[in-house]
Amino acid sequence: MLDPSTHGDAVAGPPHVVVDVRAGLPGRGAWIHPEPRCLELAERRRAVPRALRVGGPVDLGEVRAHLGR
């Protein structure tokens, strides 16, 4: 399972989600199965911002890139 966590600030735009394979980064994290279909479902349900307790949209580009390899 992947442990994405958020990084960023309000000035730079929406927080981006980074993949923390070792689950060692500080901050709030959320587990997701390493399957593209699971990420798509989480996006449709708006589960990622809720799980990470972020008030708006998040950039999932790094997670998509990680799953696409």
Side-chain angles (χ1 to χ4, degrees):
M1 296 181 89
L2 301 177
D3 180 21
S5 59
T6 58
H7 292 279
D9 57 47
V11 175
H16 64 279
V17 177
V18 296
V19 177
D20 182 13
V21 178
R22 296 182 183 183
L25 290 176
R28 182 113 185 126
W31 292 99
I32 187 167
H33 291 106
E35 300 282 334
R37 62 186 170 88
C38 290
L39 180 61
E40 291 168 11
L41 181 61
E43 285 183 281
R44 278 199 315 266
R45 293 180 175 174
R46 297 183 186 126
V48 177
R50 239 187 3 256
L52 297 175
R53 296 184 183 169
V54 177
V58 294
D59 177 8
L60 295 170
E62 185 176 328
V63 178
R64 278 190 211 93
H66 182 79
L67 294 178
R69 46 177 189 135

